[in-house]
Amino acid sequence: MEQLELPSIDYGALLPMLILFGAACVGVLVEIIAPRKVRNGVQLGLALLAVVAALTAVVLERGTRTITIGGAVAVDGPTLFLQGTILVLGGVSLLLIGERSIEKGGAFVSQAAVTVGSRKDMEQAGGQPGSTEVYPLTTFALGGMLLFVAANDLLTMFVALEVFSLPLYLLCALARRRRLLSQEAALKYFLLGSYASAFFLFGVAFLYGFAGGIQLDRIHAAVANPTQSQVLLYAGLGLLAIGLLFKAALAPFHVWTPDVYQGAPTPVTAFMAACTKVAAFGALLRVLYVAFEGVRWDFQPVLGAIAVLTMFIGAVLAVTQTDLKRLLAYSSIANAGYLMVGVLALNEQGLSSTMFYLVAYGFSVLAAFAIISLVRDADGEATHLSRWAGVGRKSPLLAATFTFVLLAFAGIPMTSGFTSKFAVFGAAIEGGQTWLVIFGVITSMLLAFPYLRVVVLMWLSEPGESTPAVSIPGFLTSAVLGIGVIATLALGVAPSPLIELTEQAAGFVR
């Protein structure tokens, strides 16, 4: 009898994902075994330890270029860089999730199954210990993101998409305050995410029919020498793109973003804004650069139009917002458009500048949401713009920090926002996409208005009776703020080390 030869597996390359999935499973057991009074500390320590161990494994694998598990997972420069970025930003997000001193019990509901508006719901909103299931859920999501950016076939990519999406749907519903808004956000995200996943899966089916396989290199070979109808190729690429553009919050698949950002607990919003964007663009880069490079002249104009639409929708609608979390949601949409400008350069400089942008934006947006979590009253966070009038008079240090972060979003020189925009626009010009850069510059000027409006409101308005208090940040929130602000400044003043690192990592393995 002929013996089957199993594909070789590089466990070192898979170690970061295995660590996180293992830690998430242990976290589930901790929920069952550990006493409630010590559970938060144990879970936070376990999650942070897993992130540090996974990051160490990523660093030890630097220079690795391999395809393992029968072609399902590719470990190369972009994979390792994006995995490291997800882990660093995920670790900082965990600090924000673990904060319990600003609001008694933390930002998360103690029992998700409690009926909204009931007596028990009111009691737990007053200060019962917050849910600790958030830590294994976050760890599962991080593990799925690591697999998503490493997936070398479309079925593995779909599995990874669901592994990190399902925990996010649950996390969005766990806000201690405004429970109905939080649950509505989670339901919208789940329903629209399910539709996007279905489109992705239909795209996989079409591409299987076109290429006779779902590995990215096989699709690349089929594109170069087609034997099946081109209709299957373009239908598959279009449907696949819908699933990826949804996660990246690109128009017209962005409609979930403002509602979810507003309704989710602020630490979860920060986690999604930083890490989910890295995962989504990491997968988009791999699909476009590895599998569909041969039809770049076909998809470049279409995705370019989507990038322009995204930048304009994000910039124009940000101007009309009266809620800070929704404003940052539309800012995130506009930034997704700028990232797409770098992606569509379709050269090594485009790849490296996009990865740089993801790091720079991730640190800035974490700092922004950390600041939002500090301005609050008896009902929780005060996110309506009118409530921020005169905050600069009450807390000059916090207002100055937020001003700096907003100026970074606006792309002011000496901040990471300027450096990252300059990098992606330069790559696009080199790639022959000057028209995208023109629209990018125009929308950047439009988008500066809502940021400056908040700055003017904080500094030039008198505090009123409705101006909320500014909480003293706990140690964990202070750490997030410090890391975010220092990174935003450092990447604006001295970006060379990170730029060199992204240039060294810019090369996919096939």
Side-chain angles (χ1 to χ4, degrees):
M1 182 181 293
E2 186 179 348
Q3 192 171 8
L4 287 174
E5 198 173 314
L6 296 175
S8 61
I9 299 176
D10 185 348
Y11 287 103
L14 301 176
L15 189 57
M17 293 167 272
L18 296 176
I19 290 171
L20 287 180
F21 288 136
C25 293
V26 173
V28 173
L29 294 177
V30 169
E31 284 296 311
I32 300 170
I33 298 169
R36 190 173 183 85
K37 61 176 69 175
V38 301
R39 202 179 293 164
N40 184 70
V42 172
Q43 289 281 37
L44 177 59
L46 175 64
L48 288 174
L49 182 63
V51 167
V52 171
L55 183 59
T56 304
V58 167
V59 173
L60 292 175
E61 285 294 312
R62 66 188 182 279
T64 301
R65 293 178 62 83
T66 184
I67 296 177
T68 186
I69 318 185
V73 172
V75 179
D76 49 26
T79 295
L80 294 171
F81 183 88
L82 293 168
Q83 286 183 340
T85 301
I86 289 168
L87 289 168
V88 172
L89 296 176
V92 178
S93 301
L94 280 168
L95 297 179
L96 203 56
I97 289 170
E99 182 62 76
R100 294 291 185 269
S101 63
I102 296 174
E103 178 174 0
K104 190 176 179 182
F108 298 95
V109 70
S110 60
Q111 290 180 322
V114 173
T115 305
V116 175
S118 65
R119 183 177 59 83
K120 196 167 184 179
D121 182 40
M122 300 300 177
E123 289 174 357
Q124 73 175 14
Q128 288 189 18
S131 167
T132 52
E133 291 93 339
V134 295
Y135 298 108
L137 287 172
T138 304
T139 311
F140 267 123
L142 284 171
M145 291 175 190
L146 297 195
L147 181 58
F148 197 53
V149 299
N152 195 53
D153 74 50
L154 297 178
L155 194 56
T156 302
M157 192 173 284
F158 173 76
V159 171
L161 176 66
E162 296 307 301
V163 168
F164 84 79
S165 294
L166 291 173
L168 289 177
Y169 301 148
L170 295 173
L171 287 168
C172 288
L174 297 180
R176 180 182 291 273
R177 308 284 183 174
R178 302 172 185 169
R179 298 280 294 120
L180 278 176
L181 190 64
S182 177
Q183 291 179 344
E184 179 188 351
L187 185 60
K188 286 180 179 177
Y189 192 24
F190 169 68
L191 290 175
L192 293 174
S194 300
Y195 289 132
S197 297
F199 280 118
F200 185 97
L201 207 53
F202 277 119
V204 174
F206 277 111
L207 290 170
Y208 179 80
F210 172 75
I214 52 175
Q215 291 81 14
L216 298 186
D217 58 344
R218 190 158 180 176
I219 295 171
H220 175 83
V223 168
N225 296 290
T227 59
Q228 302 293 332
S229 170
Q230 297 280 320
V231 174
L232 294 173
L233 169 62
Y234 294 117
L237 175 56
L239 292 170
L240 192 73
I242 290 174
L244 295 174
L245 298 180
F246 173 87
K247 278 297 171 192
L250 283 146
F253 314 106
H254 67 285
V255 291
W256 59 275
T257 312
D259 292 334
V260 173
Y261 273 42
Q262 184 182 20
T266 298
V268 173
T269 306
F271 173 63
M272 291 170 58
C275 296
T276 304
K277 199 167 290 294
V278 178
F281 274 96
L284 191 62
L285 283 166
R286 185 171 295 279
V287 166
L288 295 182
Y289 279 62
V290 176
F292 298 104
E293 186 184 14
V295 287
R296 59 185 296 173
W297 303 114
D298 296 313
F299 69 72
Q300 220 168 11
V302 177
L303 292 182
I306 287 175
V308 170
L309 180 65
T310 303
M311 290 185 286
F312 269 105
I313 285 177
V316 173
L317 293 185
V319 175
T320 67
Q321 299 308 306
T322 57
D323 184 276
L324 258 178
K325 289 175 78 174
R326 292 183 73 88
L327 190 156
L328 289 181
Y330 281 106
S331 167
S332 171
I333 292 165
N335 278 279
Y338 302 137
L339 280 160
M340 184 56 81
V341 172
V343 171
L344 292 175
L346 294 175
N347 52 31
E348 284 196 3
Q349 190 180 343
L351 176 55
S352 63
S353 63
T354 302
M355 293 192 293
F356 179 89
Y357 199 119
L358 289 167
V359 176
Y361 177 76
F363 282 114
S364 299
V365 81
L366 285 172
F369 281 110
I371 292 168
I372 287 174
S373 70
L374 297 175
V375 181
R376 56 196 313 116
D377 55 20
D379 295 325
E381 294 158 355
T383 58
H384 197 279
L385 281 181
S386 62
R387 307 291 304 280
W388 283 64
V391 166
R393 309 285 180 92
K394 281 195 167 187
S395 180
L397 181 60
L398 179 133
T401 305
F402 198 39
T403 299
F404 174 71
V405 173
L406 290 174
L407 292 178
F409 286 143
I412 300 301
M414 305 297 287
T415 66
S416 62
F418 173 79
T419 311
S420 52
K421 282 190 176 70
F422 186 84
V424 295
F425 290 166
I429 290 172
E430 186 179 313
Q433 301 298 305
T434 307
W435 68 286
L436 290 178
V437 177
I438 293 170
F439 284 111
V441 172
I442 293 170
T443 55
S444 293
M445 291 188 290
L446 289 173
L447 194 57
F449 175 77
Y451 300 141
L452 295 176
R453 183 177 61 169
V454 177
V455 173
V456 169
L457 197 64
M458 288 193 296
W459 291 106
L460 301 182
S461 299
E462 291 292 334
E465 292 183 2
S466 64
T467 302
V470 176
S471 302
I472 298 173
F475 172 75
L476 297 180
T477 302
S478 299
V480 174
L481 272 173
I483 293 169
V485 170
I486 290 170
T488 301
L489 179 62
L491 294 177
V493 176
S496 299
L498 184 61
I499 290 175
E500 290 174 5
L501 188 60
T502 59
E503 288 174 349
Q504 292 168 10
F508 288 107
V509 66
R510 258 193 206 100

